[in-house]
Amino acid sequence: MKHFVYGNEISTNTLKETKSIIFGGGCFWGLEKRFWELSGVVLTSVGYSGGKTENPSYEEVCSGFTDHAEVVKVDYEPNDIELKDLLKVFWEAHDPTQGMRQGNDIGSQYRSVVFIEDEADRNVVELSMKLFQE
Protein backbone atom coordinates (compact mmCIF):
# COMPACT_ATOMS: atom_id res chain seq x y z
CA MET A 1 0.00 0.00 0.00
CA LYS A 2 1.30 3.46 -0.88
CA HIS A 3 1.27 6.49 1.42
CA PHE A 4 -1.30 9.09 0.31
CA VAL A 5 1.07 12.07 0.62
CA TYR A 6 4.52 10.64 -0.14
CA GLY A 7 3.68 7.87 -2.58
CA ASN A 8 6.11 5.57 -0.72
CA GLU A 9 5.31 2.01 0.17
CA ILE A 10 4.05 1.81 3.74
CA SER A 11 6.07 -0.75 5.65
CA THR A 12 6.95 -1.53 9.25
CA ASN A 13 10.62 -1.46 8.25
CA THR A 14 12.30 1.83 7.48
CA LEU A 15 15.06 2.24 4.94
CA LYS A 16 18.67 2.06 6.15
CA GLU A 17 19.33 5.73 5.56
CA THR A 18 16.27 6.93 7.49
CA LYS A 19 15.66 7.35 11.20
CA SER A 20 12.35 7.16 13.05
CA ILE A 21 10.79 8.83 16.05
CA ILE A 22 7.27 8.56 17.47
CA PHE A 23 5.33 11.58 18.74
CA GLY A 24 2.08 11.77 20.68
CA GLY A 25 0.51 15.20 20.98
CA GLY A 26 -3.25 14.94 20.89
CA CYS A 27 -5.20 13.70 17.89
CA PHE A 28 -2.74 12.02 15.54
CA TRP A 29 -4.34 13.33 12.33
CA GLY A 30 -3.58 16.99 13.09
CA LEU A 31 -0.08 16.26 14.30
CA GLU A 32 0.73 14.06 11.32
CA LYS A 33 -0.29 16.80 8.88
CA ARG A 34 2.28 19.19 10.40
CA PHE A 35 5.11 16.81 9.47
CA TRP A 36 3.94 16.48 5.85
CA GLU A 37 5.12 20.03 5.24
CA LEU A 38 8.76 19.35 6.18
CA SER A 39 11.51 18.64 3.69
CA GLY A 40 13.43 15.58 4.86
CA VAL A 41 10.42 13.70 6.21
CA VAL A 42 9.93 10.67 3.97
CA LEU A 43 6.99 8.87 5.61
CA THR A 44 4.46 9.29 8.39
CA SER A 45 2.05 6.81 9.89
CA VAL A 46 -0.41 6.98 12.76
CA GLY A 47 -1.55 4.53 15.38
CA TYR A 48 -1.44 3.78 19.08
CA SER A 49 1.65 3.24 21.22
CA GLY A 50 2.80 2.95 24.80
CA GLY A 51 0.02 0.71 26.04
CA LYS A 52 -0.43 -2.80 27.32
CA THR A 53 -2.93 -4.22 24.80
CA GLU A 54 -1.68 -5.64 21.52
CA ASN A 55 -3.41 -4.11 18.47
CA PRO A 56 -6.13 -2.23 20.35
CA SER A 57 -9.20 -0.87 18.63
CA TYR A 58 -10.14 2.80 18.72
CA GLU A 59 -12.90 2.00 21.22
CA GLU A 60 -10.47 0.14 23.50
CA VAL A 61 -7.99 3.03 23.44
CA CYS A 62 -10.77 5.54 24.18
CA SER A 63 -11.83 3.47 27.20
CA GLY A 64 -8.60 4.52 28.93
CA PHE A 65 -7.83 0.94 30.00
CA THR A 66 -5.13 0.17 27.42
CA ASP A 67 -2.77 3.04 28.40
CA HIS A 68 -2.07 3.81 24.72
CA ALA A 69 -1.47 7.27 23.28
CA GLU A 70 -2.46 8.41 19.80
CA VAL A 71 0.85 8.79 17.97
CA VAL A 72 2.47 9.59 14.66
CA LYS A 73 5.65 7.81 13.56
CA VAL A 74 7.92 10.07 11.53
CA ASP A 75 10.56 8.55 9.26
CA TYR A 76 13.12 11.11 8.17
CA GLU A 77 16.44 11.59 6.43
CA PRO A 78 18.88 12.87 9.09
CA ASN A 79 21.07 14.41 6.38
CA ASP A 80 18.10 16.54 5.23
CA ILE A 81 16.42 17.47 8.54
CA GLU A 82 17.68 17.40 12.10
CA LEU A 83 15.84 15.84 15.01
CA LYS A 84 15.78 19.21 16.78
CA ASP A 85 13.75 20.61 13.87
CA LEU A 86 11.20 17.79 14.17
CA LEU A 87 11.00 18.39 17.91
CA LYS A 88 10.37 22.11 17.35
CA VAL A 89 7.35 21.27 15.19
CA PHE A 90 6.15 18.74 17.78
CA TRP A 91 6.34 21.16 20.73
CA GLU A 92 4.73 24.00 18.76
CA ALA A 93 1.93 21.82 17.35
CA HIS A 94 0.30 21.09 20.70
CA ASP A 95 0.12 22.23 24.32
CA PRO A 96 1.70 19.58 26.56
CA THR A 97 0.66 21.53 29.67
CA GLN A 98 -2.98 20.46 29.14
CA GLY A 99 -2.21 17.02 30.59
CA MET A 100 -4.52 14.26 29.40
CA ARG A 101 -6.18 16.37 26.69
CA GLN A 102 -5.70 18.57 23.67
CA GLY A 103 -8.43 21.15 23.22
CA ASN A 104 -11.80 19.37 23.18
CA ASP A 105 -10.17 15.92 22.97
CA ILE A 106 -10.04 14.54 26.51
CA GLY A 107 -8.47 11.28 27.70
CA SER A 108 -5.12 9.68 28.44
CA GLN A 109 -4.71 8.79 24.74
CA TYR A 110 -4.17 12.51 24.02
CA ARG A 111 -1.18 12.94 26.34
CA SER A 112 2.15 14.31 25.18
CA VAL A 113 4.80 11.62 24.60
CA VAL A 114 7.96 10.96 22.60
CA PHE A 115 9.15 7.43 21.92
CA ILE A 116 12.70 7.11 20.61
CA GLU A 117 14.06 4.19 18.60
CA ASP A 118 17.67 5.34 18.87
CA GLU A 119 19.03 5.77 22.41
CA ALA A 120 21.46 8.36 21.06
CA ASP A 121 18.44 10.66 20.51
CA ARG A 122 17.51 10.76 24.21
CA ASN A 123 19.72 13.77 25.03
CA VAL A 124 18.40 15.77 22.07
CA VAL A 125 14.79 15.07 23.11
CA GLU A 126 15.40 15.89 26.77
CA LEU A 127 17.25 19.13 25.95
CA SER A 128 14.48 20.14 23.56
CA MET A 129 11.84 19.50 26.23
CA LYS A 130 13.79 21.61 28.73
CA LEU A 131 14.18 24.50 26.27
CA PHE A 132 10.49 24.53 25.37
CA GLN A 133 9.44 24.27 29.04
CA GLU A 134 11.35 27.47 29.73
Side-chain angles (χ1 to χ4, degrees), residues 2-4 6 10 16 40 54 66 68 77 81 84-85 98 102 108-109 115:
K2 292 194 182 263
H3 192 280
F4 176 76
Y6 299 104
I10 297 175
K16 276 186 179 180
E54 188 172 337
T66 70
H68 284 83
E77 298 279 355
I81 189 168
K84 68 181 181 73
D85 297 319
Q98 290 188 6
Q102 284 298 311
S108 61
Q109 72 270 28
F115 296 105

Side-chain angles (χ1 to χ4, degrees), residues 1 10 13 47 49-50 63 65 80 83 87-88 90 93 105 108:
M1 179 182 341
I10 297 175
N13 300 321
S49 192
S63 74
F65 293 116
D80 296 333
L83 176 56
L87 288 159
K88 181 180 187 305
F90 168 67
D105 295 328
S108 61

Side-chain angles (χ1 to χ4, degrees), residues 69-110:
E70 288 198 11
V71 297
V72 57
K73 180 181 177 196
V74 177
D75 296 334
Y76 65 100
E77 298 279 355
N79 291 331
D80 296 333
I81 189 168
E82 293 183 44
L83 176 56
K84 68 181 181 73
D85 297 319
L86 297 173
L87 288 159
K88 181 180 187 305
V89 169
F90 168 67
W91 294 121
E92 292 177 352
H94 77 294
D95 181 358
T97 65
Q98 290 188 6
M100 301 298 185
R101 67 178 291 166
Q102 284 298 311
N104 293 330
D105 295 328
I106 300 172
S108 61
Q109 72 270 28
Y110 301 114

